[in-house]
Amino acid sequence: MPTSNGSAAAGERRAAATRRRRRSPGWVPDQHGAWAMLVIPLLLGVVASGPTWVHLPLAVVWVLGYFAFYAVGLWLKSRLKKKYFPPVRAYVIALIVPAVAVLLLQPALVVWSLPFAPLIAISLWCSYQRRDRSLLNDGVTVLAACLMLPVAYSAGLPHTPLPDVAGWLGQPGPVGWPAVWAATGLVLAYFLGTVLYVKSLIRQRGDRRFLAASVGYHALVTVIVLVVAAATRGADAGPWWWVAAIVFALLTVRAWWVPRTAAKPLQFGLGEFAASVVVGLVALGVLGVVG
């Protein structure tokens, strides 16, 4: 016969299951790998310009925006079912105050809605079409995430009362826009590679053509970075491009080798975290912040 403790434990499990069923889905994103793409570009932009007060509400908008984006995508994927709407409503409302604070502190940041709007629209369309795992959706979300680097950098520049695009993007800063765009390209190249790499380990595991595409992409990026390193020889950030070439060469080897092993999600997830940190440090060197 079951003991009273066993009955109590079973009752708690049933109650917990009931609470989970009643709770609306979409409150917490389940894409753990996305956090590196959220945090690293933001931090790089903040460090490049130097932290200012506007970065606080901007970070809140960025995180809440990700939660809202995930909730809206799930809602669209469900074909607008009511049980998916509560987190959409909650996160959109929560975004209002920090978003207004950002625009009051840096009105020129509204210009960044121009590149973000089509990327978000494409991704949400993919969700509605239930193609949220497609390469198209992954590509546009990675691009949107990496754009936070120049956004955070421009947020820390001297206050611009009106969004004059030409003057604003050319506005001098502590690092300079060429270095910011170079670091953005480096981070973007890395995170696009992770899309192919992770798919070759999970959804496309065993697909030789996809594996070849992943390895080929990383090899191509390595060659491009080598060309940039040779072209920037003698520049302050020149040595860091050689380091970047070595990192991408190692990433190419990883893209070829790890899918051939019995690596588990926790193992290659930790490896992905370490690689993200390394690429972030190299990007700091390209920005001229370290080294």
Side-chain angles (χ1 to χ4, degrees), residues 40-98:
I40 289 178
L42 174 64
L43 288 180
L44 288 173
V46 171
V47 172
S49 67
T52 64
W53 286 111
V54 71
H55 286 130
L56 292 178
L58 180 65
V60 174
V61 168
W62 188 232
V63 175
L64 284 178
Y66 169 56
F67 277 65
F69 173 77
Y70 173 80
V72 172
L74 202 59
W75 181 51
L76 292 174
K77 187 177 178 180
S78 74
R79 296 296 190 269
L80 311 183
K81 289 183 179 179
K82 290 183 178 179
K83 70 175 183 178
Y84 291 89
F85 186 68
V88 174
R89 179 179 55 224
Y91 288 132
V92 170
I93 293 173
L95 273 168
I96 295 174
V97 172

Side-chain angles (χ1 to χ4, degrees), residues 1-160:
M1 294 179 64
T3 64
S4 59
N5 288 339
S7 299
E12 290 177 1
R13 287 194 294 270
R14 285 194 297 270
T18 301
R19 287 194 296 270
R20 285 194 295 270
R21 286 194 296 270
R22 290 177 179 173
R23 185 183 305 155
S24 300
W27 287 100
V28 180
D30 59 358
Q31 301 169 353
H32 304 296
W35 285 102
M37 283 190 288
L38 277 174
V39 173
I40 289 178
L42 174 64
L43 288 180
L44 288 173
V46 171
V47 172
S49 67
T52 64
W53 286 111
V54 71
H55 286 130
L56 292 178
L58 180 65
V60 174
V61 168
W62 188 232
V63 175
L64 284 178
Y66 169 56
F67 277 65
F69 173 77
Y70 173 80
V72 172
L74 202 59
W75 181 51
L76 292 174
K77 187 177 178 180
S78 74
R79 296 296 190 269
L80 311 183
K81 289 183 179 179
K82 290 183 178 179
K83 70 175 183 178
Y84 291 89
F85 186 68
V88 174
R89 179 179 55 224
Y91 288 132
V92 170
I93 293 173
L95 273 168
I96 295 174
V97 172
V100 170
V102 169
L103 292 178
L104 288 176
L105 291 168
Q106 267 289 29
L109 291 180
V110 72
V111 174
W112 288 104
S113 62
L114 297 177
F116 270 99
L119 297 176
I120 294 173
I122 292 171
S123 183
L124 293 180
W125 176 84
C126 287
S127 293
Y128 186 75
Q129 296 295 323
R130 296 180 178 174
R131 297 177 56 193
D132 50 306
R133 300 292 184 179
S134 66
L135 287 175
L136 172 62
N137 183 60
D138 290 341
V140 296
T141 53
V142 168
L143 178 55
C146 292
L147 276 178
M148 179 47 66
L149 198 164
V151 171
Y153 174 73
S154 62
L157 297 182
H159 181 76
T160 305

Side-chain angles (χ1 to χ4, degrees), residues 259-272:
R260 301 170 186 271
T261 69
K264 297 180 179 180
L266 176 61
Q267 294 172 318
F268 59 73
L270 292 174
E272 193 63 26

Side-chain angles (χ1 to χ4, degrees), residues 146-184:
C146 292
L147 276 178
M148 179 47 66
L149 198 164
V151 171
Y153 174 73
S154 62
L157 297 182
H159 181 76
T160 305
L162 295 174
D164 179 5
V165 178
W168 179 52
L169 291 182
Q171 191 175 14
V175 169
W177 278 105
V180 169
W181 289 119
T184 302

